[in-house]
Each structure stands twice: as C-alpha cells, then as structure tokens.
Amino acid sequence: MSRYKRYERYKDSGVEWIGEIPEHWGVKPLKRVFKIINGGTPSSSEESYWNGEIVWVTPNDLSKLTEACIVDSERKITQDGLHNCSARIVPKGSIVISTRAPIGYVAIAGVPLCTNQGCKSLVAINKVNPKYFYYWMHSISFYLNVLGQGTTFIELSNSSLSMVELLTPSINEQKAIANFLDQKTAGIDGLIADKEKLIELLQEKRQAIITEAVTKGLNQNVKMKDSGIEWIGEIPEHWRLSKIKYESLINNKTLSESTDDDYEIEYIDISSVTSIGGINDVQSLNFKDAPSRARRILSKGDTIVSTVRTYLKAIAFIENTQSNLICSTGFAVLTPLSKVVPKYLFYLMRSEKYVNEIVRRSVGVSYPAVNASDIGDLECALPDRDEQMYIVEYLDNFTMQINQLVNDIQLQIQKLKEYRQSLISEAVTGKIDVREFGSISEVI
C-alpha cells in the first residue's frame, strides 16, 4: 500500500487487533452506532404466511450476492407472516449480516426488508454512510467468527455483536472512503471477472478438444462413416463399434461386509472429484467408521463415473496403485479389457457427448441417477490400441498445458482477492489516507 500516503498523525485505538488509527477518528462499540434488529421465521406449515411481497433475507441469500445491496430474496413472506413471527422490517440502508451458518456475510438493504434468525440487521442511530460500515463489517468477518459461540452451531450473539468496536471518522470521510473503495473494488472485480471468463473459455476448449479426439480422431483427412448412433454421429471409417460393457468390466470388485472393522481405507466420494476429473479430499477411515456406500474397490487404470447427480460430471481416472482405495457405490467402476487403453476410456467418458448422454439417460429431477447397466449399454467407437495410445499422449500433453494455464490464472485471481481484502482493511482503518481519491476515478 506504499502508493497511498498515510494520515499526518495517529493515536493508539486501544483495540489490539486494530492498532493505530488517525488521531481525529473515534472508536465506539457497535451498540452506540447501530440498533441490532433480530430476525425470525413464520410457521412453515401456514401457507398464508408465505409467497407474499416482503423480502425475507437468509444467510443463503447473502451468500449468493455479487454486489453490496440486497433487494430480493429467494422466499418472501406476507404481512400475516411478518405479524406472526419475531422478524421486523428494517429500513433501506440498514446493514444486514449473517450471524450463523456461516457468520460474516454482509449486505446493505436496498429496500425495506426483514430477515430470518440467521441474520441480524444494523439500523443506524444517527446519520452514517452505510457503504463505509458495509466495508468495515466485511473487513472484520474473521473477528466476528472468533466471537461466535455454540455447540450445535456457531452463532454470533447480540451481546457480542453489540460490543464490536467500530471506527467512526466524520461522515464526509466515511463517504470519501466508501467512494474510493467502490471505485477500486469495481476495478479489481472487473479484472477477476475477466480472468474467470478466461478460465471458462480454456475449460470449454479442453472439453471440445477431448471430445473431438475420442470421437473423430486426430487425423482431419481420415475418411468418415456414419456410426448409426445419432448422438455419436460420424466416426473414422476404420474404427469399430462396440459397447462399454463389452470393452470393460463394471463394478468388478466389492469390499466384503465381513471386512475387519479396523481395516483402513482411503475413501473417494462424489464430492472428492473435481470438475476436470481430478481427485481431492480422499478420506482415511477405518471400515467400521466408513459409510455403507464405501464399497467399490479401485485399481490402477480404472475410470469411475458417477451414477447419481450425474449433472456434476464426477468422472475420474485412477492412477494410484494403493490397494485400499475405495469409492462410493454412487460410482460405476469401469475396468478396461485388453483392447482398450485405460486412459483412453477415461477421456471417452469425459467427452461432452458421453457426459451429455449419461445426463440424458438419468432419471429423476432433484437427484438424477442412472444404473451402472445404463452406462454399460453406451455405444462406443474405438480405434486400435496404437491409435488410442497416440490420442492419449496427445490429450495428456494438451490438458497438462491447459491445466497449467488455469492454475496460473487461479493464482492471479487469489492474489487479486487478497489485494482487494487488504485494500479494504487499510482504508477503513485509516492506515492509508484516501480522502483525495474519494470522489475521483483512478486506474488500478
């Protein structure tokens, strides 16, 4: 932050985690600046309380915000619902903060609204700049979480929140700081959005190249023929048609129910599989502590394909050689036979055509699923092993380059987010003097 000057004189704030503040700034407990208004929830069994016109904010609503103000909610309540619960309407400009599950989401009320009991609203006692205190509460989310208490769930109480220290520069300085941060964070957010879009485009390119390679091959001049399968389309003339169940074993090995209770397994669930087919968060568990669905035994070279919530595209390749690797019965485990290169089968199942076909064959709305036999019935067009290996080598090299680019961009995004958070903290605590920038635009 060396590019920004500091105030001329500072004093000790008297608050250890805040440190020094500008000499003319004050420190007040929150209860002297805001009234705390609790939320509430009407009875869910009374239909007349719901689907009204009153915005009723929950922590989930706050978690989805991409801007400072909140003007709508997923669910709304009626006047009857409001009168029959502890929720109260707070005015536009109030600050809404989640105080449980989790603590620290914050927004400014863009319309009069109320909240459920997972949120509290801060209504200013005297005139303040809401955006300044929005940034202040945003900057101290770490501290608010420290103050949370509870056993069943962690919650920030009224008494703890009321004693949170606030810095109180003049209203003009509050406005200048808020304007400065609006300008700067908008620029940073724009850079982040551009980089996220670039990641999205790279991932789309990766998916398109994988699909093209495993359904058309790499030779653009090869003679094609109609596969006879509508969703596959044309394939190279020399490729053979088959079905997945003829080219791989499916769910070949299962962990016995008589397994020793103390047998340690490395468990892969659907949530362990990343959007690009990687595996994270493998759990080490004793058999007795593992969920009943932890039964599929995995071997090196297997491909696992999610048969539940198929829209998540949880498809991964097993490169690990350990003998105690187990996955959920929510996966179909494909063990390729001799005519199929293991990694080729993975790329085939990851291709857009196969992902879409699996989703299409799924049954159910909120929890779509397919049977392992449905996956086994999928048609496939295959080149010989030598061509498969050539395609795998090409895709390995290509996806490695794409993944590296994505990782580099994600690191840039993380640094931008850290800079954004640091800038907010430095400005709202007076570590930098931004008064002269408060009403002008500046290039980041």
Side-chain angles (χ1 to χ4, degrees), residues 27-35 124-126 128 162-164 166 168:
V27 182
K28 295 180 180 178
L30 184 142
K31 65 181 180 181
R32 291 182 55 194
V33 183
F34 294 99
K35 292 184 293 184
I125 296 172
N126 297 306
V128 300
S162 70
M163 295 308 295
V164 168
L166 303 181
T168 55

Side-chain angles (χ1 to χ4, degrees), residues 176-368:
I177 293 168
N179 287 344
F180 167 80
L181 288 174
D182 281 349
Q183 295 162 17
K184 301 299 287 185
T185 57
I188 296 170
D189 291 344
L191 289 174
I192 290 173
D194 288 345
K195 292 182 182 298
E196 288 174 338
K197 179 62 177 177
L198 180 55
I199 288 176
E200 184 180 329
L201 292 172
L202 286 169
Q203 290 173 335
E204 289 175 359
K205 181 178 180 180
R206 175 177 51 209
Q207 193 67 16
I209 293 295
I210 290 173
T211 300
E212 183 74 12
V214 298
T215 58
K216 306 292 184 186
L218 302 179
N219 183 358
Q220 295 182 352
N221 299 317
V222 71
K223 191 172 181 180
M224 306 294 285
K225 67 180 179 182
D226 185 4
S227 68
I229 312 300
E230 184 179 356
W231 62 273
I232 292 180
E234 287 193 329
I235 60 174
E237 190 176 53
H238 63 286
W239 287 20
R240 63 186 178 87
L241 278 170
S242 183
K243 289 191 174 184
I244 296 298
K245 64 184 176 182
Y246 302 139
E247 305 299 332
S248 69
L249 301 175
I250 301 176
N251 297 336
N252 186 42
K253 294 180 287 185
T254 302
L255 201 60
S256 169
E257 295 298 328
S258 61
T259 300
D260 188 293
D261 281 350
D262 293 325
Y263 178 66
E264 186 174 321
I265 65 171
E266 298 294 311
Y267 176 56
I268 297 172
D269 204 349
I270 292 172
S271 60
S272 306
V273 178
T274 70
S275 61
I276 61 172
I279 297 175
N280 292 334
D281 302 323
V282 177
Q283 301 176 60
S284 296
L285 301 167
N286 287 334
F287 179 77
K288 64 183 177 182
D289 301 320
S292 60
R293 61 184 180 274
R295 293 295 183 269
R296 301 271 189 250
I297 298 175
L298 300 174
S299 301
K300 182 178 181 180
D302 287 344
T303 290
I304 57 175
V305 181
S306 171
T307 57
V308 295
R309 289 185 290 169
T310 48
Y311 56 85
L312 294 177
K313 306 177 184 179
I315 302 166
F317 182 67
I318 305 302
E319 298 190 65
N320 206 314
T321 57
Q322 63 196 85
S323 61
N324 63 339
L325 197 60
I326 307 295
C327 75
S328 166
T329 53
F331 289 104
V333 180
L334 309 183
T335 303
L337 299 175
S338 60
K339 292 183 179 181
V340 180
V341 174
K343 193 70 171 289
Y344 187 88
L345 182 59
F346 162 70
Y347 281 127
L348 188 68
M349 302 309 297
R350 284 287 308 177
S351 68
E352 197 70 28
K353 288 187 177 182
Y354 281 81
V355 168
N356 290 342
E357 187 62 15
I358 289 171
V359 171
R360 190 187 70 80
R361 297 189 187 195
S362 300
V363 177
V365 178
S366 59
Y367 204 76

Side-chain angles (χ1 to χ4, degrees), residues 218 238-239 338-341 344 382-394:
L218 302 179
H238 63 286
W239 287 20
S338 60
K339 292 183 179 181
V340 180
V341 174
Y344 187 88
L382 297 169
D384 60 32
R385 276 188 65 93
D386 286 344
E387 189 173 352
Q388 289 178 42
M389 292 182 69
Y390 178 62
I391 291 172
V392 166
E393 183 179 353
Y394 170 80

Side-chain angles (χ1 to χ4, degrees), residues 34 93-97 106-109 120-123 130 133-134 137:
F34 294 99
S94 302
I95 294 172
V96 181
I97 183 167
V106 61
I108 299 171
K120 300 184 191 299
S121 300
L122 309 181
V123 179
F133 285 102
Y134 160 82
M137 299 305 291

Side-chain angles (χ1 to χ4, degrees), residues 29-46:
L30 184 142
K31 65 181 180 181
R32 291 182 55 194
V33 183
F34 294 99
K35 292 184 293 184
I36 300 173
I37 307 298
N38 293 326
T41 301
S43 171
S44 58
S45 61
E46 181 53 63

Side-chain angles (χ1 to χ4, degrees), residues 57 68-71 90-96 107-114 121 130:
V57 174
C69 286
I70 185 163
V71 297
V90 297
K92 178 180 177 179
S94 302
I95 294 172
V96 181
I108 299 171
V111 294
L113 53 78
C114 63
S121 300

